[in-house]
Every structure is written in C-alpha cells, then in structure tokens.
Amino acid sequence: MNGWIILDKPVGLGSTQAVGAVKRVCREAGLGKVKVGHGGTLDPLASGVLPIALGEATKLCGRMLDASKIYDFTVQFGTETAGLDAEGEIVRASDVRPTLAEVEAVLPRFTGPIEQVPPAFSAIKIDGQRAYDLARKGEAVEMKARAVTIHSLRHAGLDPASIPAAVVWTPDQVPGDEGGEGRLDSITLTAHVSKGTYIRSLARDIAQAVGTVGHVTMLRRTKAGPFDLEQAISLDKLNAFGQGAAQSEFILPLEAGLVDIPALNLSPEAAGAIRQGRVWTGVAMDDGLYWGRDSEMRPIALIEALAGTLKVVRGFNL
C-alpha cells in the first residue's frame, strides 16, 4: 500500500490523531500494518488539507514539510490572546478597528521575505523543551525572529488587482464589516507561505501594523504542496474506506506527490542501475531534481542530475 490520502482535517482533530485514524481504517480495510506519516502539522483548531502518506510515499514526507502552503484565516481585531488563537486568555485589548483600506495598505509589508517572531505557544524547542510546555508553566519564553517568505497575501475572495490602493470603503461595500462606519471587527485573508511560517504571528503583526491587536479565529489550509481541497476527503469518507469502499476512491498514487518535479523516463539499463543505488553517467539533460520511472511508468527514485550524471536522492521499493 503506497500512496496518499488527502484528508480534509476537521477542527478539533490533531495531526497525530489523523494519522492514527488512517492506520485504524487501513486495518479495518484488511491492509494490515501500513507505514503512515503526514506531510505538515495542522493545529487542532485548524482545518483543511492534511496530506497523509502511506508506505513508500512516507519517504516524501520531509519534502512535503518543506513545500509551500496556502491558508485562509480570519483575524479578529481588538483582542490578543496568549496563544494568538481562539483559545487562551486575553492578554491585550484595544478599541481601535481598522478599515479595509488600512488593512490593504499594510499587506505589502508582509509580502516577500520577512522576519517574524513565532508564538510562544508553538512546538519550537528552546533548550530542549517545547516552547508551549514552557509557556503553559507560566515561564517567560523568548522567541527569536526567523526568516520566512510570504509569496502572496490578500483579502480572501477578492482579486487584489480589483482593489485600488486608496479606495474609500463605505459600510455596505466592506465584506465582513461588523464595526460600522467602514470599520472592521474582523477580516479573512488568504496567504501563500513558505515552510516555517506561523499564521498566528502573521495575524498578530498585521493587527499591530494597523494600530490595534488581534488573534486568529479561523484557520483553514487550502493547499499543501501539490495537494488541494479538491483532492481532500472528509473523515466520514475515510471511514467508508475502512468499511470496504474501493481504494481508488481514496488513495492517490505515490507520484501524485511529485507533480511539481519533471518526470524522467529511464531506459531498462538506467532503471536497473538506479534501483541498485548506482550512479548513471552519460546523460544529456539539464541539472536539477527529477523523479525517474521505468518502462511501466512506475516511480523508481528521486534523482539529482548533475553534469551528465544521475544520482539517487531517495529510492522507492515498488
């Protein structure tokens, strides 16, 4: 059993619990013990795309963790919580509410390479301990800024080209306006981000940039690497797999996690060498990362091409 189950993870379920659910369903489906891993943690309060790898696809989990991701998230203005999300005590408050134009004006500051300070309630290790464990004990946690990249950031559901920079919004023009007089109690944004980006920190910093405070009340991942919501299944549908539904309805092939890498058709001789982990020389092709496949279109390995040679990065036993 090798491939991917793309779960539309519901709020309240942790990523480790989701992996456990897939293992249980595989057992119920009569598949026996299957190696399972996930391609990027989602907090219990977040929902959306959670790639879960089966068998040989687990060799791609590290690559999936490094992939960029897209999120929809709602920033609630006026209160900041300890965890920067809907749980936890309120630690700061403000009566200031921004307009949509004010929010749009600061978004370019958070687009491109930026530095951000992760939340104290995060899994980052400090002197060998998780930051959230220290924070829960009430200890002062000093988080260091880290470099991340925000590829794009915009008001969700709106074409950024359609929003003039100096537009003046009236209450009936502002989607989600709850504050009256064009002032927003909350706003939903869409961000395409690099690995290591904390959306909760992004929300905090956007709120501060418009002169107030804020926290995340909704977080939904709509894409992780090559996988999006169109490929995702619900927990109910996952359970149907355990009750005998066809595997083809739920499991994507291993190569579905490689669609952003060029495929390389290997000769029988080259395929044999690559399967044995040997370097194959005399190849006329551009340098870079490829995934090699044999004459039956089966993935053999992730391959690095360099100066006319092919070297195995990660082999697949299919």
Side-chain angles (χ1 to χ4, degrees):
M1 178 53 57
N2 307 289
W4 300 90
I5 290 177
I6 312 304
L7 185 65
D8 185 352
K9 188 192 82 64
V11 171
L13 186 73
S15 298
T16 301
Q17 291 174 303
V19 168
V22 170
K23 288 182 178 179
R24 171 183 56 77
V25 165
C26 286
R27 289 194 300 270
E28 292 174 352
L31 301 178
K33 188 175 181 180
V34 179
K35 189 174 183 181
V36 181
H38 66 75
T41 301
L42 265 182
D43 291 341
L45 292 180
S47 68
V49 175
L50 180 62
I52 298 181
L54 307 175
E56 288 296 287
T58 58
K59 294 178 178 179
L60 298 173
C61 282
R63 186 175 177 276
M64 200 59 60
L65 292 172
D66 290 342
S68 66
K69 299 171 178 68
I70 299 177
Y71 296 89
D72 289 341
F73 64 103
T74 299
V75 186
Q76 179 73 40
F77 296 115
T79 54
E80 181 179 313
T81 63
L84 301 178
D85 55 25
E87 290 188 342
E89 62 178 333
I90 295 174
V91 295
R92 296 178 64 196
S94 172
D95 293 330
V96 175
R97 300 292 185 274
T99 64
L100 180 57
E102 289 170 340
V103 175
E104 290 286 346
V106 303
L107 295 187
R109 301 186 202 174
F110 302 98
T111 305
I114 66 169
E115 296 266 328
Q116 71 167 198
V117 177
F121 285 84
S122 65
I124 294 173
K125 286 190 175 181
I126 299 176
D127 296 329
Q129 297 188 66
R130 298 290 185 186
Y132 55 65
D133 288 332
L134 297 173
R136 286 168 183 161
K137 294 176 184 177
E139 298 184 25
V141 180
E142 182 179 354
M143 306 299 294
K144 295 181 179 179
R146 56 168 52 187
V148 298
T149 300
I150 312 297
H151 301 291
S152 65
L153 178 62
R154 62 182 178 84
H155 187 197
L158 294 181
D159 180 353
S162 70
I163 307 173
V167 70
V168 177
W169 296 85
T170 61
D172 61 342
Q173 291 177 309
V174 182
D177 175 30
E178 302 168 359
E181 299 181 355
R183 298 285 166 177
L184 298 173
D185 279 339
S186 64
I187 190 171
T188 299
L189 303 171
T190 297
H192 180 195
V193 303
S194 70
K195 70 170 183 176
T197 301
Y198 280 90
I199 299 297
R200 288 176 289 155
S201 293
L202 183 60
R204 173 200 63 202
D205 296 343
I206 291 171
Q208 291 177 358
V210 293
T212 186
V213 294
H215 67 277
V216 171
T217 57
M218 185 280 293
L219 179 59
R220 182 159 175 77
R221 187 155 71 192
T222 60
K223 189 171 184 180
F227 301 119
D228 59 28
L229 284 170
E230 290 187 3
Q231 298 159 299
I233 63 173
S234 66
L235 270 182
D236 288 342
K237 195 166 185 179
L238 176 65
N239 288 330
F241 172 45
Q243 296 165 10
Q247 294 181 20
S248 59
E249 295 182 28
F250 308 94
I251 300 178
L252 301 177
L254 180 148
E255 54 266 36
L258 299 170
V259 295
D260 55 341
I261 301 176
L264 178 61
N265 295 324
L266 298 171
S267 67
E269 295 78 15
I274 295 297
R275 279 197 176 96
Q276 295 172 9
R278 292 189 283 121
V279 174
W280 186 256
T281 60
V283 179
M285 60 189 310
D286 294 335
D287 292 350
L289 188 66
Y290 297 82
W291 65 275
R293 58 190 181 189
D294 61 16
S295 58
E296 297 181 11
M297 301 293 107
R298 291 177 300 190
I300 294 176
L302 279 178
I303 301 170
E304 182 182 18
L306 182 63
T309 65
L310 301 179
K311 182 179 179 180
V312 176
V313 175
R314 202 66 194 263
F316 306 124
N317 296 317
L318 299 178

